[in-house]
Amino acid sequence: MTARTPRRPVTAPARRVRTAVPVALAVTGALLLTGCGDQTDGASDSSKVEGSKAPLFDKLPKKVQDKGVIKVGTDAAYKPMEYKIGQEIVGLDPDLADAMSKELGVRFEFTNGTFDGLITSLQTGRFDMIMSSMTDTKDRQEGLDDQGKKVGKGVDFVDYLTAGSSILVQKGNPEKIESVEELCGKKVATQRGTTSHEILKEQTDKCKKERKRPITVEPFDNDDEARVRLKAGGVVADISDFPVAANAAKEGDEFEVVGEQMESAPYGMAVSKGNDKLSGALKAALSAIIENGAYEKALKKWGVEDGGVSEAKINSGS
């Protein structure tokens, strides 16, 4: 995966940098070939639509109208946002795309790849857009790497969800925890090298300054391991990305999410900088499904209603 210190893991620890640090866009030819090599497996099509009869078809670029498909790059390893069941890519992002396809009259065809290579593949024309729980940041908009160096022309985002870090506890919240400030002196699990891990480190320092017992942070390689520890009662909480925590709470009766999200930021659908026709069409389609209720229905299905947005925006990240 990469240095996307932003949020976003599930299988690989590095995945979780989908929140703060932009991915470097400059790669060698060899790396580019490697990054694109696995992006053809697991393609998934949205449901059949009515083409030019759709209400927003005319807003699309003619090239997309002619093809009848929007090619989408994703890293399908981030449940519940996008993940694979067999060769099918499922999750909130494909469901939202399916709802938007009915407004636009074209299919969204998802292709799986590595998160680090998505922006490069977008800018080389392999994809029309990216929908992969990618955090909208100014650096990504401007094409800057994590050192602030210009490495590409950047992308534009159509923002569709807000996600931060959340506190997951055992069902019933036996320790009555409502905020990270209440974790001083307690054992807490998280995924190593993530934004959530950094939040716990910062709070541990605050605990010490306030002459309170520090947090005992137990970092794991992935969220699944952290939740096993929480379920067994070895820790009082697990700090993880909101969509992951919310889905874990929804899927069973073992956990619940408490308190407010921390360090929230928007997830955006990324298109190449200057492709205003496509970004405008996607914004219109997102607005339409927010209005007709399909958006809220999809969020409820995956248990992430608290991350919903009330209106579609372009480049609202900071």
Side-chain angles (χ1 to χ4, degrees):
M1 250 31 40
T2 140
R4 62 173 155 195
T5 50
R7 29 193 40 101
R8 177 46 166 161
V10 218
T11 51
R15 138 163 257 117
R16 179 59 140 271
V17 294
R18 282 190 179 179
T19 239
V21 179
V23 77
L25 307 182
V27 294
T28 65
L31 284 176
L32 179 57
L33 290 173
T34 301
C36 296
D38 68 339
Q39 292 179 358
T40 56
D41 93 314
S44 168
D45 293 352
S46 297
S47 61
K48 194 172 181 179
V49 288
E50 302 245 348
S52 59
K53 296 180 182 179
L56 300 177
F57 182 80
D58 289 343
K59 289 186 174 291
L60 289 165
K62 188 174 187 308
K63 182 174 69 172
V64 175
Q65 292 176 344
D66 292 344
K67 291 189 303 181
V69 62
I70 296 175
K71 294 184 178 180
V72 186
T74 196
D75 180 3
Y78 187 48
K79 190 178 182 180
M81 299 299 294
E82 55 270 324
Y83 64 104
K84 294 177 73 174
I85 297 180
Q87 291 303 305
E88 183 182 6
I89 297 175
V90 299
L92 175 63
D93 282 356
D95 281 0
L96 292 178
D98 187 67
M100 291 167 64
S101 75
K102 294 175 175 61
E103 304 298 324
L104 293 168
V106 295
R107 292 181 298 113
F108 285 71
E109 183 180 275
F110 281 75
T111 299
N112 190 39
T114 56
F115 191 86
D116 292 5
L118 293 180
I119 291 180
T120 299
S121 294
L122 172 70
Q123 295 184 338
T124 57
R126 185 173 181 83
F127 306 129
D128 298 308
M129 62 175 283
I130 297 167
M131 196 170 187
S132 192
S133 308
M134 181 174 283
T135 304
D136 174 1
T137 68
K138 290 295 184 185
D139 284 349
R140 283 188 172 130
Q141 293 170 25
E142 297 170 7
L144 305 179
D145 66 12
D146 55 2
Q147 304 300 316
K149 179 182 177 182
K150 185 77 171 176
V151 292
K153 64 180 182 179
V155 298
D156 288 321
F157 288 97
V158 179
D159 298 324
Y160 64 97
L161 193 76
T162 299
S165 292
S166 291
I167 303 173
L168 191 70
V169 299
Q170 289 183 338
K171 194 73 172 181
N173 193 9
E175 298 287 332
K176 306 304 178 188
I177 295 165
E178 296 296 337
S179 70
V180 70
E181 288 80 14
E182 297 173 1
L183 295 176
C184 295
K186 301 183 184 299
K187 293 181 179 180
V188 182
T190 192
Q191 182 172 342
R192 185 179 286 107
T194 65
T195 299
S196 299
H197 194 180
E198 292 304 313
I199 288 173
L200 283 174
K201 289 179 181 178
E202 291 173 7
Q203 182 56 43
T204 293
D205 290 339
K206 291 179 183 178
C207 294
K208 292 176 180 177
K209 289 178 181 178
E210 296 172 1
R211 298 182 180 278
K212 298 178 182 177
R213 294 175 58 197
I215 300 172
T216 301
V217 180
E218 296 191 10
F220 293 89
D221 287 339
N222 58 62
D223 282 312
D224 288 340
E225 293 175 355
R227 286 195 296 274
V228 167
R229 181 69 167 151
L230 174 61
K231 181 180 177 180
V235 296
V236 301
D238 167 33
I239 311 297
S240 62
D241 284 0
F242 163 71
V244 176
N247 186 252
K250 179 179 175 60
E251 284 195 330
D253 57 3
E254 299 163 337
F255 307 114
E256 66 180 88
V257 175
V258 298
E260 300 293 327
Q261 290 187 51
M262 299 167 283
E263 297 190 11
S264 294
Y267 285 166
M269 296 173 267
V271 301
S272 293
K273 182 68 71 176
N275 194 353
D276 298 339
K277 188 86 171 172
L278 180 56
S279 60
L282 293 173
K283 180 183 177 185
L286 179 59
S287 296
I289 67 170
I290 291 173
E291 180 68 24
N292 68 25
Y295 175 79
E296 183 179 9
K297 181 180 179 180
L299 265 60
K300 285 183 176 179
K301 173 182 174 181
W302 297 101
V304 295
E305 308 96 291
D306 288 349
V309 298
S310 59
E311 61 177 312
K313 294 182 179 180
I314 292 179
N315 293 340
S316 64
S318 58

